Amino acid sequence: TAPACDPAHKGGVYRVDPSTGAGSLAAGDLGQPNFVAVTPWDTLLVADDCTANTRLREVLASGQSSIWLDGIASANGLAFSPDASTLYVATTFVSPPAVWKVPLGPDHRPQTPIRWVTFADNSTPDGLAVDADGNVYVALNVLGEIRKIAPDGTVTPFARHTNTDASLVFGAGPGADPCSLYVTSLLSGDVYDVYVGVPGRALYSP
């Protein structure tokens, strides 16, 4: 079911201490945040996929937030291209659902969004990740599929599960395979390891 935008909802982003696991509020009053991406300039972009929302918000280390982009409805998965010149955005509860490209200016400001690849209605694109070669991987969670989008826009099936794929990210850190996608499911507490064979784009570039 597509989430409604509840003006009373004041969701936030939490900071988790990796040594203790303790969480603290990093930024509040963000509506119904769903997906978070670290920018190459070391801030956060926050997506809210409720159907009436058209805004991506930027959060600074201080916790201050502002509207970074207004114009893409029901934004969900976010990831940058390897050269950090483009932000890819998956949209979920709109018709047709799509992956958008947002070119970036030299000052990190978004340029006019481009609807890049569209999918069938009710396929619900969700999480999104980019590899070091610039290929985009998007989870179509109702279909339980991951599609691969080449830099030229060619779409091919990549992986299929019986469970509903949601968020996905390339491995990073101790014990994780940097050439695999780690995929969550909406129907279970499982995390799937999907081998790609190419490392993911770095989460951010200092």
Side-chain angles (χ1 to χ4, degrees), residues 49-123:
D49 67 352
C50 70
T51 51
N53 182 64
T54 59
R55 297 172 175 178
L56 292 179
R57 300 190 71 87
E58 183 174 30
V59 177
L60 306 181
S62 64
Q64 294 178 308
S65 68
S66 61
I67 297 169
W68 184 78
L69 173 68
D70 192 346
I72 299 179
S74 190
N76 198 332
L78 309 170
F80 288 90
S81 61
D83 64 1
S85 68
T86 302
L87 175 70
Y88 296 101
V89 183
T91 60
T92 303
F93 300 111
V94 290
S95 180
V99 172
W100 292 68
K101 295 171 71 171
V102 182
L104 302 183
D107 57 353
H108 309 313
R109 301 309 303 169
Q111 308 301 301
T112 302
I114 302 163
R115 191 192 303 268
W116 185 39
V117 173
T118 59
F119 296 99
D121 284 346
N122 301 318
S123 59

Side-chain angles (χ1 to χ4, degrees), residues 20-47:
T20 65
S24 60
L25 184 67
D29 199 15
L30 296 176
Q32 298 170 196
N34 186 348
F35 203 96
V36 176
V38 180
T39 70
W41 52 97
D42 209 19
T43 63
L44 299 178
L45 293 183
V46 182

